[in-house]
Amino acid sequence: MIDYLDETSELKPFYNHFPKIENFKSQIEEKSSNFNSYGKRQVLVSELERQYQNFNVSKTTLNNIELLNDSNTFTITTGHQLNLFTGPLYFLYKIVSTINLCKQLKKEFPEHNFVPIYWMATEDHDFDEINYFNYQGKVFRWNRESSGPVGRLSTEGLDKVFDLFSKEIGTSNNANFLKKLFENAYLKHSNLADATRYLANELFQNEGLVIIDGDSIELKKLFIPFVKKELLEQTSFKKVTETNELLKDYFVQVNPREINLFYIEDNLRERIIFENGTYKVNNTSTQFSESEILTELENHPEKFSPNVITRPLYQEVILPNLCYIGGGGEIAYWLELKSSFEENNITFPMLLLRNSVLLAIRKQAEKADKLKLSWSDLFSNQRVLLDSKTKDFSQFKIDFSEQKEYLKKQFDNLYTIANQTDKSFIGAVKAQEIKQLKGLDNLEKRLLKAEKRIHKEKLERIVSLQNELFPGQSLQERKANFSEFYLEFGNKLIEELLTELNALSQEFKIITL
């Protein structure tokens, strides 16, 4: 990611245009020529209208859906799993980045329209990754079995999670909002896809966010030619394997299968494999000849699900999309895919690293000031931070570098003598030098330890503050749930994010609420 953000020449073959405002003009032109089917837009709009049928939709969102009929309308897309109650905070940051980029592009290119899209990962089957959320150090988990695409999963059993969460957050106005939000999302919708749509729609509908579920017969009909090519020619495997060889000096995020498709039903999502001239659904007795699987594709496209390699292609086939916004791992695996897109004659989108944020409340910022801690200090490794601050608090210098230099000079004199006598004496001098330098190291460590005892109270306050901001010594955005901050700040939380974040800025933003 550092090399990508630095636009190093080695990585330039693996992406289209770097996400700078001036580069969007070229991306718009390319996507316009590549996504020029009005019929495809009609299918997209019709399907979105169907998916939103039973939801209260804002005028802004309805208008954005309607705008997708126009050839001068483009999308900016982010995608995320169906994490319970949004999961970690960066769910919000992805969507806010997407919304804010659309606003920025509209100012720069007023003749075009830009629609923010949240692509729900409804066809994933990694239930253990999404069935919980953290709230103030406690884990609220939905305990049940799941084997098929999670979007189709019944919300049965979430009433127990709701009861536990409700008891935890109190009875304030913001707490009552969170309870109602959870109840309406998960207890009044029959499957996880609809529950997640309700949740994201409630949080962002005033910003015109459009939420799409790719687990759709009509949308997958548009993808049939590409699925067919994947089945018959194994395009992705060949192209991504070639790319991964070129990227071998980096950690490869994903490795392609020979066929990068799953076969799905309500309680099934298994790989399609090709063996001895037969297409088989892994871990089942289902199998097809070539003609049979192509007939199955034509009759039931909804049963063919893209994996991590082909899902991006599916997204870009059905959306007039300019840019994908994701985390570091996501952007890294998208960089493996450009040659596969080129082979399928689909425009490769711009790739933008999502905003990253540390949320701090004013009391925490005041504590940091009192302890003379910079934000840079707080991002440090905790052991390194405590050592550094102990040295700052101490009345004297906890550094024996001068003594070590003096000692080395004394031993230089001894080496001069040693070189004039029996060679065995040199070894004795060297051993003594190592021993005494090690002794000084140990004394320095013991002095630091003694000073830590003296400044124990301040250091404990530093540890407490850093642990609040970095739960589990991890980035807050990867652990904490939005409800912790919504409970105290209500709508101000999302308003501040929308105001403070600049999608095209790559700085780590610190927001004090």
Side-chain angles (χ1 to χ4, degrees), residues 254-386:
V254 290
N255 286 296
R257 305 278 189 181
E258 289 188 355
I259 294 176
N260 293 281
L261 298 166
F262 287 97
Y263 189 83
I264 61 170
E265 294 175 342
D266 286 350
N267 295 302
L268 174 76
R269 190 177 191 240
E270 289 285 354
R271 288 191 298 117
I272 298 172
I273 54 180
F274 186 65
E275 290 180 348
N276 303 319
T278 301
Y279 294 89
K280 299 177 180 179
V281 178
N282 199 34
N283 295 320
T284 74
S285 59
T286 303
Q287 58 182 43
F288 305 92
S289 66
E290 181 180 298
S291 62
E292 286 170 340
I293 202 165
L294 295 180
T295 299
E296 181 78 351
L297 174 60
E298 290 294 332
N299 294 336
H300 298 287
E302 74 279 6
K303 292 192 175 185
F304 293 79
S305 175
N307 75 352
V308 66
I309 294 286
T310 49
R311 191 211 65 78
L313 181 67
Y314 176 39
Q315 170 189 299
E316 298 301 312
V317 164
I318 66 174
L319 292 176
N321 196 50
L322 301 176
C323 178
Y324 182 76
I325 297 177
E330 286 179 281
I331 301 304
Y333 87 70
W334 273 81
L335 290 171
E336 299 175 32
L337 306 179
K338 183 167 179 275
S339 63
S340 178
F341 272 70
E342 289 170 344
E343 184 68 17
N344 284 287
N345 194 31
I346 297 296
T347 300
F348 196 61
M350 297 167 88
L351 304 174
L352 177 60
L353 188 65
R354 65 167 173 82
N355 288 131
S356 281
V357 181
L358 173 67
L359 294 176
I361 61 175
R362 200 152 297 282
K363 286 181 182 177
Q364 291 170 328
E366 290 169 357
K367 284 180 186 177
D369 289 341
K370 285 179 182 177
L371 292 165
K372 297 181 179 179
L373 291 168
S374 68
W375 289 113
S376 180
D377 288 334
L378 287 163
F379 272 82
S380 302
N381 171 277
Q382 193 166 93
R383 182 187 60 78
V384 172
L385 173 61
L386 294 179

